[in-house]
Amino acid sequence: MTARSILVVGSLAYDDVRTPTATRDHVLGGAASYFSTAASRYAPVRLVGVVGDDFREEDVARLARHGVDLEGLERRSGRSFRWTGTYDFALDTAETINTDLGVFGDWHPRVPGSFADSELVFLANIDPEIQLATLAQVRAPKLVALDTMNYWIAQKRDALLRVMAKVDVVSVNEGEARQLCETFSIVRAARDILAMGPRVLIVKRGEYGATLFTRDFSFWTPAVPLEEVVDPTGAGDTFAGGFMGYLAECASLDDASLRRAVLHGAVCASFAVERFSIDGIAAATRDAIEKRYDTLRSLTVL
Amino acid sequence: MTARSILVVGSLAYDDVRTPTATRDHVLGGAASYFSTAASRYAPVRLVGVVGDDFREEDVARLARHGVDLEGLERRSGRSFRWTGTYDFALDTAETINTDLGVFGDWHPRVPGSFADSELVFLANIDPEIQLATLAQVRAPKLVALDTMNYWIAQKRDALLRVMAKVDVVSVNEGEARQLCETFSIVRAARDILAMGPRVLIVKRGEYGATLFTRDFSFWTPAVPLEEVVDPTGAGDTFAGGFMGYLAECASLDDASLRRAVLHGAVCASFAVERFSIDGIAAATRDAIEKRYDTLRSLTVL
């Protein structure tokens, strides 16, 4: 069958990133960039986002070359989203040095009519009220996933709970899961989050891999073991891109597909962190993805 | 076949443990207590250790009831090893408040003649020179494993490297692996440690599970997901007990056996952390272990 189409709504940004060994300024970032680059390895991707008039044409062309449909890309007068972050030696959680939302700050996404029939939807990290308003513009999605972050959990908890009740998949990192449920136990947090409505929860754990929870089972994968992580920025959104991308190819969204999709998410994330910006996942061919999938799979087989 | 016999040399202690929700004073602890209780679920265990004249007869009887052969237990005049530790909410790494080595401080283990034919040997965390001297007293072991800690890595690196070159399995937590190899990358650390001599490295990662590395493959397991961890003390030694115990039952120490042994280690550790002291693993029947093994196994099966 032909892969289903995937709609992503989220940020396109320019990042300044500092790691203990290197620095990159003004590189393409943002959740939608990472997600769509990964998901485009699998399926047609439709992007809804906003950029300022400082956004480089070459970056638009780059996404287009990956087959991303940019009809939903708004260009507005003003600055594009800018993020400056730094990592310590553990290369796990970023410390945000500066955020300048620019035109992203008061943006209200409009889903083009031609995107309204999208079957899979990824609501990247953004104000949950915006996630709700965006989702309302998609006609009859088969699978909706959302990501969020500590800020919305703390500041817009009610709106976040409303949108969580409307989606199929919630994707958070383990710190966010703990914050959302006010418990250290990931097992308890998973049960609590699933009680909020979604049928699938993905807990991302950085170098420790990821876990998918449903009411009936959980599936655990390590991360792809890497000699060196260069820049963890975007790993979570790239994971979501691989996860949703793989599901877009599946005839059925059954439990076995969900499990394999987790592995694809982890594989895509592993490519992302090997280079700065989207360079790592952009360079990953589908063949390379499949090879690494087999490697990851082998790590847990008796 | 009958299970092979396992020799363990290590500490028996009384622990004072503080967690955010509870406190226990003067409970049975020590690497050899945890290890032998776990390993005795699988195979005959021979213990070489030392206690002071404050050691409770009921604790000796407890180990004996588990079938642990205590011919190698020395009783000396003085205090038993005492350890006081505290955990924060993450319940991962203990902060040591106080260590009083007592009679353990200047102890030189003597392996009874009747133990010299032991086929599997676990050298628990102790001065690496003592590990070397103890190992020399075992005739022709088929598999020798050692545990160590940050103190010996920093203070007795040369002796530690000498004993590591003589053993089959090195078991450390990920912080120790990083410290030993001065790298953040566990993949690099694993390669470096295997180059030091052992054919198997086990890296324990607390709630994130454990990984077994050889020169040819690695095997990754999550920890058994638990609603609540009560006390992580002894988890690593209990892991080693399950790992070695299972191997003692195996006709061959091949790769498949090593993989399954890792799961048994993780399962035993999960019982240990559910209660204070050795109470959790002591209460785990072999049936309960097998059930939890199946659960753990299912978490990574597609």
PDB file of all heavy atoms in Angstrom, chain A residues 174 178 185 188 191 207-208 219-220 225 227 297 299-300 302, chain B residues 174 178 185 191 207-208 219-220 225 227 259 297 299-302:
ATOM      1  N   GLU A 174      11.185  11.330  30.399  1.00  0.00           N
ATOM      2  CA  GLU A 174      10.792  10.782  31.701  1.00  0.00           C
ATOM      3  C   GLU A 174      10.648  11.860  32.763  1.00  0.00           C
ATOM      4  O   GLU A 174       9.809  11.745  33.649  1.00  0.00           O
ATOM      5  CB  GLU A 174      11.718   9.653  32.147  1.00  0.00           C
ATOM      6  CG  GLU A 174      13.135  10.048  32.339  1.00  0.00           C
ATOM      7  CD  GLU A 174      13.988   8.847  32.764  1.00  0.00           C
ATOM      8  OE1 GLU A 174      13.461   7.838  33.228  1.00  0.00           O
ATOM      9  OE2 GLU A 174      15.212   8.947  32.626  1.00  0.00           O
ATOM     10  N   ARG A 178       7.244  12.373  35.009  1.00  0.00           N
ATOM     11  CA  ARG A 178       7.252  12.493  36.477  1.00  0.00           C
ATOM     12  C   ARG A 178       6.597  13.788  36.920  1.00  0.00           C
ATOM     13  O   ARG A 178       5.828  13.819  37.883  1.00  0.00           O
ATOM     14  CB  ARG A 178       8.698  12.441  36.983  1.00  0.00           C
ATOM     15  CG  ARG A 178       9.293  11.056  36.901  1.00  0.00           C
ATOM     16  CD  ARG A 178      10.756  11.033  37.343  1.00  0.00           C
ATOM     17  NE  ARG A 178      11.189   9.656  37.479  1.00  0.00           N
ATOM     18  CZ  ARG A 178      12.346   9.178  37.047  1.00  0.00           C
ATOM     19  NH1 ARG A 178      13.224   9.980  36.479  1.00  0.00           N
ATOM     20  NH2 ARG A 178      12.648   7.899  37.192  1.00  0.00           N
ATOM     21  N   SER A 185       7.977   7.293  40.162  1.00  0.00           N
ATOM     22  CA  SER A 185       7.823   5.988  39.517  1.00  0.00           C
ATOM     23  C   SER A 185       7.267   6.137  38.104  1.00  0.00           C
ATOM     24  O   SER A 185       6.152   6.603  37.899  1.00  0.00           O
ATOM     25  CB  SER A 185       6.889   5.110  40.346  1.00  0.00           C
ATOM     26  OG  SER A 185       6.435   4.017  39.565  1.00  0.00           O
ATOM     27  N   ARG A 188       4.030   4.137  37.650  1.00  0.00           N
ATOM     28  CA  ARG A 188       2.829   4.840  38.124  1.00  0.00           C
ATOM     29  C   ARG A 188       2.458   5.988  37.199  1.00  0.00           C
ATOM     30  O   ARG A 188       1.287   6.199  36.894  1.00  0.00           O
ATOM     31  CB  ARG A 188       3.079   5.429  39.513  1.00  0.00           C
ATOM     32  CG  ARG A 188       2.878   4.435  40.599  1.00  0.00           C
ATOM     33  CD  ARG A 188       2.894   5.165  41.951  1.00  0.00           C
ATOM     34  NE  ARG A 188       3.154   4.183  42.974  1.00  0.00           N
ATOM     35  CZ  ARG A 188       3.690   4.452  44.152  1.00  0.00           C
ATOM     36  NH1 ARG A 188       4.017   5.691  44.464  1.00  0.00           N
ATOM     37  NH2 ARG A 188       3.893   3.508  45.017  1.00  0.00           N
ATOM     38  N   ARG A 191       0.646   4.744  34.171  1.00  0.00           N
ATOM     39  CA  ARG A 191      -0.745   4.390  34.431  1.00  0.00           C
ATOM     40  C   ARG A 191      -1.610   5.642  34.537  1.00  0.00           C
ATOM     41  O   ARG A 191      -2.706   5.722  33.982  1.00  0.00           O
ATOM     42  CB  ARG A 191      -0.831   3.572  35.711  1.00  0.00           C
ATOM     43  CG  ARG A 191      -2.079   2.722  35.795  1.00  0.00           C
ATOM     44  CD  ARG A 191      -2.121   1.971  37.104  1.00  0.00           C
ATOM     45  NE  ARG A 191      -1.681   2.828  38.181  1.00  0.00           N
ATOM     46  CZ  ARG A 191      -1.110   2.388  39.308  1.00  0.00           C
ATOM     47  NH1 ARG A 191      -0.899   1.110  39.468  1.00  0.00           N
ATOM     48  NH2 ARG A 191      -0.757   3.247  40.239  1.00  0.00           N
ATOM     49  N   GLU A 207      19.791   8.386  26.479  1.00  0.00           N
ATOM     50  CA  GLU A 207      20.706   7.290  26.165  1.00  0.00           C
ATOM     51  C   GLU A 207      20.209   5.950  26.698  1.00  0.00           C
ATOM     52  O   GLU A 207      20.755   4.900  26.351  1.00  0.00           O
ATOM     53  CB  GLU A 207      22.108   7.575  26.702  1.00  0.00           C
ATOM     54  CG  GLU A 207      22.194   7.553  28.200  1.00  0.00           C
ATOM     55  CD  GLU A 207      23.627   7.366  28.712  1.00  0.00           C
ATOM     56  OE1 GLU A 207      24.344   6.477  28.235  1.00  0.00           O
ATOM     57  OE2 GLU A 207      24.036   8.144  29.596  1.00  0.00           O
ATOM     58  N   TYR A 208      19.166   5.980  27.552  1.00  0.00           N
ATOM     59  CA  TYR A 208      18.614   4.731  28.078  1.00  0.00           C
ATOM     60  C   TYR A 208      17.485   4.189  27.222  1.00  0.00           C
ATOM     61  O   TYR A 208      16.861   3.196  27.581  1.00  0.00           O
ATOM     62  CB  TYR A 208      18.156   4.919  29.524  1.00  0.00           C
ATOM     63  CG  TYR A 208      19.279   5.347  30.429  1.00  0.00           C
ATOM     64  CD1 TYR A 208      19.366   6.639  30.918  1.00  0.00           C
ATOM     65  CD2 TYR A 208      20.291   4.448  30.755  1.00  0.00           C
ATOM     66  CE1 TYR A 208      20.412   7.031  31.724  1.00  0.00           C
ATOM     67  CE2 TYR A 208      21.351   4.831  31.565  1.00  0.00           C
ATOM     68  CZ  TYR A 208      21.410   6.126  32.047  1.00  0.00           C
ATOM     69  OH  TYR A 208      22.445   6.518  32.834  1.00  0.00           O
ATOM     70  N   PHE A 219       6.501  -1.901  26.041  1.00  0.00           N
ATOM     71  CA  PHE A 219       7.588  -2.376  25.178  1.00  0.00           C
ATOM     72  C   PHE A 219       8.797  -1.469  25.397  1.00  0.00           C
ATOM     73  O   PHE A 219       8.680  -0.242  25.335  1.00  0.00           O
ATOM     74  CB  PHE A 219       7.160  -2.335  23.707  1.00  0.00           C
ATOM     75  CG  PHE A 219       8.259  -2.757  22.772  1.00  0.00           C
ATOM     76  CD1 PHE A 219       8.651  -4.086  22.680  1.00  0.00           C
ATOM     77  CD2 PHE A 219       8.930  -1.819  21.988  1.00  0.00           C
ATOM     78  CE1 PHE A 219       9.684  -4.481  21.830  1.00  0.00           C
ATOM     79  CE2 PHE A 219       9.962  -2.200  21.134  1.00  0.00           C
ATOM     80  CZ  PHE A 219      10.326  -3.526  21.058  1.00  0.00           C
ATOM     81  N   TRP A 220       9.921  -2.074  25.664  1.00  0.00           N
ATOM     82  CA  TRP A 220      11.110  -1.342  26.077  1.00  0.00           C
ATOM     83  C   TRP A 220      12.231  -1.535  25.071  1.00  0.00           C
ATOM     84  O   TRP A 220      12.537  -2.666  24.685  1.00  0.00           O
ATOM     85  CB  TRP A 220      11.576  -1.846  27.454  1.00  0.00           C
ATOM     86  CG  TRP A 220      10.530  -1.696  28.517  1.00  0.00           C
ATOM     87  CD1 TRP A 220       9.299  -2.305  28.544  1.00  0.00           C
ATOM     88  CD2 TRP A 220      10.605  -0.873  29.690  1.00  0.00           C
ATOM     89  NE1 TRP A 220       8.614  -1.904  29.666  1.00  0.00           N
ATOM     90  CE2 TRP A 220       9.384  -1.045  30.393  1.00  0.00           C
ATOM     91  CE3 TRP A 220      11.592  -0.030  30.215  1.00  0.00           C
ATOM     92  CZ2 TRP A 220       9.122  -0.384  31.591  1.00  0.00           C
ATOM     93  CZ3 TRP A 220      11.331   0.623  31.418  1.00  0.00           C
ATOM     94  CH2 TRP A 220      10.112   0.440  32.094  1.00  0.00           C
ATOM     95  N   PRO A 225      23.339   1.973  20.769  1.00  0.00           N
ATOM     96  CA  PRO A 225      24.589   2.348  21.444  1.00  0.00           C
ATOM     97  C   PRO A 225      25.516   3.074  20.473  1.00  0.00           C
ATOM     98  O   PRO A 225      25.756   2.602  19.372  1.00  0.00           O
ATOM     99  CB  PRO A 225      25.210   0.997  21.847  1.00  0.00           C
ATOM    100  CG  PRO A 225      24.143  -0.036  21.638  1.00  0.00           C
ATOM    101  CD  PRO A 225      23.213   0.507  20.599  1.00  0.00           C
ATOM    102  N   GLU A 227      29.221   5.301  19.953  1.00  0.00           N
ATOM    103  CA  GLU A 227      30.533   5.666  20.491  1.00  0.00           C
ATOM    104  C   GLU A 227      30.527   7.113  20.954  1.00  0.00           C
ATOM    105  O   GLU A 227      31.128   7.478  21.940  1.00  0.00           O
ATOM    106  CB  GLU A 227      31.602   5.528  19.394  1.00  0.00           C
ATOM    107  CG  GLU A 227      31.918   4.121  19.014  1.00  0.00           C
ATOM    108  CD  GLU A 227      33.217   3.655  19.626  1.00  0.00           C
ATOM    109  OE1 GLU A 227      34.097   4.496  19.888  1.00  0.00           O
ATOM    110  OE2 GLU A 227      33.337   2.433  19.831  1.00  0.00           O
ATOM    111  N   ARG A 297      17.560  -4.276  17.150  1.00  0.00           N
ATOM    112  CA  ARG A 297      16.718  -5.430  17.438  1.00  0.00           C
ATOM    113  C   ARG A 297      17.538  -6.555  18.073  1.00  0.00           C
ATOM    114  O   ARG A 297      17.094  -7.217  19.016  1.00  0.00           O
ATOM    115  CB  ARG A 297      16.070  -5.913  16.129  1.00  0.00           C
ATOM    116  CG  ARG A 297      15.159  -7.060  16.282  1.00  0.00           C
ATOM    117  CD  ARG A 297      13.874  -6.650  16.966  1.00  0.00           C
ATOM    118  NE  ARG A 297      13.234  -7.800  17.591  1.00  0.00           N
ATOM    119  CZ  ARG A 297      13.105  -7.943  18.902  1.00  0.00           C
ATOM    120  NH1 ARG A 297      13.537  -7.018  19.722  1.00  0.00           N
ATOM    121  NH2 ARG A 297      12.522  -9.002  19.404  1.00  0.00           N
ATOM    122  N   LEU A 299      19.977  -6.491  19.972  1.00  0.00           N
ATOM    123  CA  LEU A 299      20.513  -6.250  21.321  1.00  0.00           C
ATOM    124  C   LEU A 299      19.669  -6.880  22.426  1.00  0.00           C
ATOM    125  O   LEU A 299      20.142  -7.035  23.548  1.00  0.00           O
ATOM    126  CB  LEU A 299      20.603  -4.740  21.600  1.00  0.00           C
ATOM    127  CG  LEU A 299      21.469  -3.915  20.666  1.00  0.00           C
ATOM    128  CD1 LEU A 299      21.461  -2.457  21.099  1.00  0.00           C
ATOM    129  CD2 LEU A 299      22.884  -4.456  20.639  1.00  0.00           C
ATOM    130  N   THR A 300      18.419  -7.189  22.115  1.00  0.00           N
ATOM    131  CA  THR A 300      17.533  -7.718  23.161  1.00  0.00           C
ATOM    132  C   THR A 300      17.037  -9.119  22.836  1.00  0.00           C
ATOM    133  O   THR A 300      16.195  -9.658  23.556  1.00  0.00           O
ATOM    134  CB  THR A 300      16.307  -6.793  23.355  1.00  0.00           C
ATOM    135  OG1 THR A 300      15.640  -6.642  22.109  1.00  0.00           O
ATOM    136  CG2 THR A 300      16.729  -5.428  23.878  1.00  0.00           C
ATOM    137  N   LEU A 302      17.300 -13.067  22.687  1.00  0.00           N
ATOM    138  CA  LEU A 302      18.033 -14.107  23.430  1.00  0.00           C
ATOM    139  C   LEU A 302      18.857 -14.977  22.490  1.00  0.00           C
ATOM    140  O   LEU A 302      18.451 -15.231  21.370  1.00  0.00           O
ATOM    141  CB  LEU A 302      17.039 -14.996  24.184  1.00  0.00           C
ATOM    142  CG  LEU A 302      16.535 -14.451  25.515  1.00  0.00           C
ATOM    143  CD1 LEU A 302      15.655 -15.493  26.199  1.00  0.00           C
ATOM    144  CD2 LEU A 302      17.694 -14.091  26.438  1.00  0.00           C
TER     145      LEU A 302
ATOM    146  N   GLU B 174      27.447   1.891  35.872  1.00  0.00           N
ATOM    147  CA  GLU B 174      27.917   2.693  34.739  1.00  0.00           C
ATOM    148  C   GLU B 174      28.839   3.822  35.165  1.00  0.00           C
ATOM    149  O   GLU B 174      29.762   4.180  34.434  1.00  0.00           O
ATOM    150  CB  GLU B 174      26.772   3.185  33.867  1.00  0.00           C
ATOM    151  CG  GLU B 174      25.808   4.095  34.544  1.00  0.00           C
ATOM    152  CD  GLU B 174      24.679   4.525  33.599  1.00  0.00           C
ATOM    153  OE1 GLU B 174      24.813   4.415  32.378  1.00  0.00           O
ATOM    154  OE2 GLU B 174      23.661   4.985  34.114  1.00  0.00           O
ATOM    155  N   ARG B 178      32.619   4.354  33.632  1.00  0.00           N
ATOM    156  CA  ARG B 178      33.105   5.641  33.112  1.00  0.00           C
ATOM    157  C   ARG B 178      34.373   6.073  33.833  1.00  0.00           C
ATOM    158  O   ARG B 178      35.319   6.566  33.215  1.00  0.00           O
ATOM    159  CB  ARG B 178      32.017   6.707  33.290  1.00  0.00           C
ATOM    160  CG  ARG B 178      30.868   6.525  32.330  1.00  0.00           C
ATOM    161  CD  ARG B 178      29.760   7.552  32.563  1.00  0.00           C
ATOM    162  NE  ARG B 178      28.833   7.506  31.441  1.00  0.00           N
ATOM    163  CZ  ARG B 178      27.509   7.541  31.556  1.00  0.00           C
ATOM    164  NH1 ARG B 178      26.933   7.661  32.731  1.00  0.00           N
ATOM    165  NH2 ARG B 178      26.741   7.474  30.486  1.00  0.00           N
ATOM    166  N   SER B 185      31.284   7.723  27.323  1.00  0.00           N
ATOM    167  CA  SER B 185      30.636   6.762  26.438  1.00  0.00           C
ATOM    168  C   SER B 185      30.747   5.353  27.007  1.00  0.00           C
ATOM    169  O   SER B 185      31.839   4.809  27.155  1.00  0.00           O
ATOM    170  CB  SER B 185      31.294   6.819  25.062  1.00  0.00           C
ATOM    171  OG  SER B 185      30.958   5.659  24.333  1.00  0.00           O
ATOM    172  N   ARG B 191      34.514  -1.328  25.500  1.00  0.00           N
ATOM    173  CA  ARG B 191      35.609  -1.831  24.660  1.00  0.00           C
ATOM    174  C   ARG B 191      36.928  -1.788  25.430  1.00  0.00           C
ATOM    175  O   ARG B 191      37.722  -2.725  25.400  1.00  0.00           O
ATOM    176  CB  ARG B 191      35.694  -0.988  23.381  1.00  0.00           C
ATOM    177  CG  ARG B 191      36.406  -1.689  22.262  1.00  0.00           C
ATOM    178  CD  ARG B 191      36.482  -0.793  21.041  1.00  0.00           C
ATOM    179  NE  ARG B 191      36.811   0.561  21.431  1.00  0.00           N
ATOM    180  CZ  ARG B 191      36.452   1.654  20.754  1.00  0.00           C
ATOM    181  NH1 ARG B 191      35.754   1.536  19.657  1.00  0.00           N
ATOM    182  NH2 ARG B 191      36.802   2.844  21.175  1.00  0.00           N
ATOM    183  N   GLU B 207      17.698   1.593  37.621  1.00  0.00           N
ATOM    184  CA  GLU B 207      16.340   1.445  37.084  1.00  0.00           C
ATOM    185  C   GLU B 207      16.324   1.319  35.565  1.00  0.00           C
ATOM    186  O   GLU B 207      15.292   1.004  34.976  1.00  0.00           O
ATOM    187  CB  GLU B 207      15.447   2.609  37.516  1.00  0.00           C
ATOM    188  CG  GLU B 207      15.814   3.921  36.889  1.00  0.00           C
ATOM    189  CD  GLU B 207      14.673   4.956  36.966  1.00  0.00           C
ATOM    190  OE1 GLU B 207      13.532   4.648  36.600  1.00  0.00           O
ATOM    191  OE2 GLU B 207      14.954   6.086  37.396  1.00  0.00           O
ATOM    192  N   TYR B 208      17.480   1.600  34.919  1.00  0.00           N
ATOM    193  CA  TYR B 208      17.544   1.481  33.464  1.00  0.00           C
ATOM    194  C   TYR B 208      17.988   0.096  33.011  1.00  0.00           C
ATOM    195  O   TYR B 208      18.168  -0.141  31.822  1.00  0.00           O
ATOM    196  CB  TYR B 208      18.452   2.556  32.876  1.00  0.00           C
ATOM    197  CG  TYR B 208      17.962   3.945  33.197  1.00  0.00           C
ATOM    198  CD1 TYR B 208      18.609   4.741  34.125  1.00  0.00           C
ATOM    199  CD2 TYR B 208      16.822   4.436  32.582  1.00  0.00           C
ATOM    200  CE1 TYR B 208      18.145   6.002  34.438  1.00  0.00           C
ATOM    201  CE2 TYR B 208      16.343   5.694  32.892  1.00  0.00           C
ATOM    202  CZ  TYR B 208      17.007   6.473  33.818  1.00  0.00           C
ATOM    203  OH  TYR B 208      16.533   7.718  34.128  1.00  0.00           O
ATOM    204  N   PHE B 219      24.179  -7.440  25.020  1.00  0.00           N
ATOM    205  CA  PHE B 219      22.792  -7.813  25.308  1.00  0.00           C
ATOM    206  C   PHE B 219      22.245  -6.848  26.353  1.00  0.00           C
ATOM    207  O   PHE B 219      22.873  -6.612  27.384  1.00  0.00           O
ATOM    208  CB  PHE B 219      22.716  -9.257  25.825  1.00  0.00           C
ATOM    209  CG  PHE B 219      21.317  -9.668  26.198  1.00  0.00           C
ATOM    210  CD1 PHE B 219      20.366  -9.919  25.222  1.00  0.00           C
ATOM    211  CD2 PHE B 219      20.940  -9.793  27.528  1.00  0.00           C
ATOM    212  CE1 PHE B 219      19.068 -10.284  25.555  1.00  0.00           C
ATOM    213  CE2 PHE B 219      19.648 -10.155  27.880  1.00  0.00           C
ATOM    214  CZ  PHE B 219      18.710 -10.404  26.894  1.00  0.00           C
ATOM    215  N   TRP B 220      21.097  -6.285  26.063  1.00  0.00           N
ATOM    216  CA  TRP B 220      20.539  -5.199  26.882  1.00  0.00           C
ATOM    217  C   TRP B 220      19.213  -5.623  27.467  1.00  0.00           C
ATOM    218  O   TRP B 220      18.341  -6.096  26.752  1.00  0.00           O
ATOM    219  CB  TRP B 220      20.336  -3.946  26.016  1.00  0.00           C
ATOM    220  CG  TRP B 220      21.594  -3.475  25.355  1.00  0.00           C
ATOM    221  CD1 TRP B 220      22.352  -4.156  24.445  1.00  0.00           C
ATOM    222  CD2 TRP B 220      22.267  -2.221  25.575  1.00  0.00           C
ATOM    223  NE1 TRP B 220      23.451  -3.399  24.085  1.00  0.00           N
ATOM    224  CE2 TRP B 220      23.425  -2.212  24.754  1.00  0.00           C
ATOM    225  CE3 TRP B 220      21.992  -1.114  26.377  1.00  0.00           C
ATOM    226  CZ2 TRP B 220      24.305  -1.132  24.724  1.00  0.00           C
ATOM    227  CZ3 TRP B 220      22.874  -0.029  26.343  1.00  0.00           C
ATOM    228  CH2 TRP B 220      24.018  -0.043  25.523  1.00  0.00           C
ATOM    229  N   PRO B 225      10.106  -3.393  35.614  1.00  0.00           N
ATOM    230  CA  PRO B 225       9.427  -2.158  36.028  1.00  0.00           C
ATOM    231  C   PRO B 225       8.690  -2.378  37.352  1.00  0.00           C
ATOM    232  O   PRO B 225       7.925  -3.331  37.480  1.00  0.00           O
ATOM    233  CB  PRO B 225       8.419  -1.904  34.901  1.00  0.00           C
ATOM    234  CG  PRO B 225       8.817  -2.821  33.783  1.00  0.00           C
ATOM    235  CD  PRO B 225       9.520  -3.975  34.403  1.00  0.00           C
ATOM    236  N   GLU B 227       6.397  -0.590  40.584  1.00  0.00           N
ATOM    237  CA  GLU B 227       5.613   0.558  41.060  1.00  0.00           C
ATOM    238  C   GLU B 227       6.410   1.327  42.101  1.00  0.00           C
ATOM    239  O   GLU B 227       6.362   2.542  42.172  1.00  0.00           O
ATOM    240  CB  GLU B 227       4.320   0.068  41.719  1.00  0.00           C
ATOM    241  CG  GLU B 227       3.308  -0.477  40.772  1.00  0.00           C
ATOM    242  CD  GLU B 227       2.190   0.516  40.491  1.00  0.00           C
ATOM    243  OE1 GLU B 227       1.913   1.380  41.326  1.00  0.00           O
ATOM    244  OE2 GLU B 227       1.604   0.415  39.395  1.00  0.00           O
ATOM    245  N   ARG B 259      23.159 -14.474  28.106  1.00  0.00           N
ATOM    246  CA  ARG B 259      22.025 -13.559  27.916  1.00  0.00           C
ATOM    247  C   ARG B 259      20.925 -13.864  28.924  1.00  0.00           C
ATOM    248  O   ARG B 259      20.381 -12.964  29.563  1.00  0.00           O
ATOM    249  CB  ARG B 259      21.467 -13.685  26.497  1.00  0.00           C
ATOM    250  CG  ARG B 259      22.363 -13.117  25.404  1.00  0.00           C
ATOM    251  CD  ARG B 259      21.646 -13.257  24.059  1.00  0.00           C
ATOM    252  NE  ARG B 259      22.346 -12.603  22.977  1.00  0.00           N
ATOM    253  CZ  ARG B 259      23.153 -13.214  22.113  1.00  0.00           C
ATOM    254  NH1 ARG B 259      23.359 -14.520  22.209  1.00  0.00           N
ATOM    255  NH2 ARG B 259      23.750 -12.537  21.143  1.00  0.00           N
ATOM    256  N   ARG B 297      11.124 -10.740  30.087  1.00  0.00           N
ATOM    257  CA  ARG B 297      11.404 -11.161  28.716  1.00  0.00           C
ATOM    258  C   ARG B 297      10.399 -10.553  27.737  1.00  0.00           C
ATOM    259  O   ARG B 297      10.756 -10.112  26.652  1.00  0.00           O
ATOM    260  CB  ARG B 297      11.336 -12.692  28.660  1.00  0.00           C
ATOM    261  CG  ARG B 297      11.664 -13.280  27.323  1.00  0.00           C
ATOM    262  CD  ARG B 297      13.129 -13.130  27.017  1.00  0.00           C
ATOM    263  NE  ARG B 297      13.356 -13.207  25.580  1.00  0.00           N
ATOM    264  CZ  ARG B 297      13.762 -12.178  24.844  1.00  0.00           C
ATOM    265  NH1 ARG B 297      14.001 -11.004  25.399  1.00  0.00           N
ATOM    266  NH2 ARG B 297      13.963 -12.319  23.564  1.00  0.00           N
ATOM    267  N   LEU B 299       8.941  -7.831  27.717  1.00  0.00           N
ATOM    268  CA  LEU B 299       9.007  -6.380  27.517  1.00  0.00           C
ATOM    269  C   LEU B 299       9.763  -5.980  26.259  1.00  0.00           C
ATOM    270  O   LEU B 299       9.629  -4.852  25.790  1.00  0.00           O
ATOM    271  CB  LEU B 299       9.687  -5.701  28.716  1.00  0.00           C
ATOM    272  CG  LEU B 299       9.045  -5.894  30.077  1.00  0.00           C
ATOM    273  CD1 LEU B 299       9.835  -5.139  31.131  1.00  0.00           C
ATOM    274  CD2 LEU B 299       7.602  -5.416  30.052  1.00  0.00           C
ATOM    275  N   THR B 300      10.592  -6.880  25.750  1.00  0.00           N
ATOM    276  CA  THR B 300      11.418  -6.520  24.587  1.00  0.00           C
ATOM    277  C   THR B 300      11.112  -7.384  23.370  1.00  0.00           C
ATOM    278  O   THR B 300      11.793  -7.292  22.355  1.00  0.00           O
ATOM    279  CB  THR B 300      12.919  -6.655  24.918  1.00  0.00           C
ATOM    280  OG1 THR B 300      13.171  -7.985  25.360  1.00  0.00           O
ATOM    281  CG2 THR B 300      13.341  -5.670  25.995  1.00  0.00           C
ATOM    282  N   VAL B 301      10.091  -8.242  23.476  1.00  0.00           N
ATOM    283  CA  VAL B 301       9.756  -9.115  22.358  1.00  0.00           C
ATOM    284  C   VAL B 301       8.784  -8.394  21.428  1.00  0.00           C
ATOM    285  O   VAL B 301       7.805  -7.813  21.879  1.00  0.00           O
ATOM    286  CB  VAL B 301       9.133 -10.437  22.863  1.00  0.00           C
ATOM    287  CG1 VAL B 301       8.552 -11.235  21.716  1.00  0.00           C
ATOM    288  CG2 VAL B 301      10.187 -11.248  23.602  1.00  0.00           C
ATOM    289  N   LEU B 302       9.077  -8.449  20.137  1.00  0.00           N
ATOM    290  CA  LEU B 302       8.220  -7.758  19.154  1.00  0.00           C
ATOM    291  C   LEU B 302       6.852  -8.429  19.056  1.00  0.00           C
ATOM    292  O   LEU B 302       6.741  -9.626  19.210  1.00  0.00           O
ATOM    293  CB  LEU B 302       8.888  -7.772  17.780  1.00  0.00           C
ATOM    294  CG  LEU B 302       9.954  -6.718  17.525  1.00  0.00           C
ATOM    295  CD1 LEU B 302      10.427  -6.813  16.086  1.00  0.00           C
ATOM    296  CD2 LEU B 302       9.422  -5.322  17.805  1.00  0.00           C
TER     297      LEU B 302
END
